Amino acid sequence: MPYRVRIADINYGGHVSNAAVLSFFQDARIGYLGTLGAFSEMDIGGCGLILPEAHVLYRAEMFLQDQLTIGVRVKELKNSSFIMDYRIERDGVLTAEGNTALVAFDYGKRRPCRLPSGFRDAVLSFEPLMGAPTDNDTGK
């Protein structure tokens, strides 16, 4: 996903703020969900998502008007949760990376639930190599 750094993303140090990077992750996540189909953070096929954990590693400063590329993928899919990885680059150079844990959440009942099968199938269809053995795993 392309993104141009706005003034609202800049902090008192003159570079992109911590909060802005988490917003970049959220924007990429929303785009990813839309790419899968009619999914959103509030509806992945009968329940929503809640984010209990986020990690960010800053590799280089990002500045006003920088043209960034934000990548996202599902790294790990479990029964009720999944991990998303994010990568932010400027001109092919890594500026930040991280991941978020996301849990399927029934907002009506206020509790976690299983990932809906339609969502799970959409992820596995979009990322067919996820969970497949690598050359190292098969001895090739």
Side-chain angles (χ1 to χ4, degrees), residues 44-114:
I44 58 166
C47 64
L49 294 172
I50 196 164
L51 187 148
E53 188 175 343
H55 298 270
V56 180
L57 298 168
Y58 301 95
R59 303 297 188 185
E61 292 178 290
M62 294 169 273
F63 301 101
L64 182 63
Q65 297 298 320
D66 277 356
Q67 182 62 49
L68 306 175
T69 302
I70 306 169
V72 61
R73 71 180 182 117
V74 172
K75 172 183 174 182
E76 185 178 339
L77 200 56
K78 297 182 180 178
N79 290 332
S80 299
S81 65
F82 59 100
I83 305 292
M84 291 193 99
D85 281 341
Y86 307 87
R87 181 179 177 88
I88 302 174
E89 296 180 354
R90 178 188 52 237
D91 299 324
V93 175
L94 179 65
T95 59
E97 61 187 330
N99 61 62
T100 57
L102 295 148
V103 176
F105 194 76
D106 183 327
Y107 280 90
K109 295 179 181 175
R110 311 302 298 173
R111 67 177 191 212
C113 59
R114 292 184 75 78

Side-chain angles (χ1 to χ4, degrees), residues 3 5 12 17 31 40 72 89 139:
Y3 185 85
V5 176
Y12 55 86
S17 73
S40 71
V72 61
E89 296 180 354

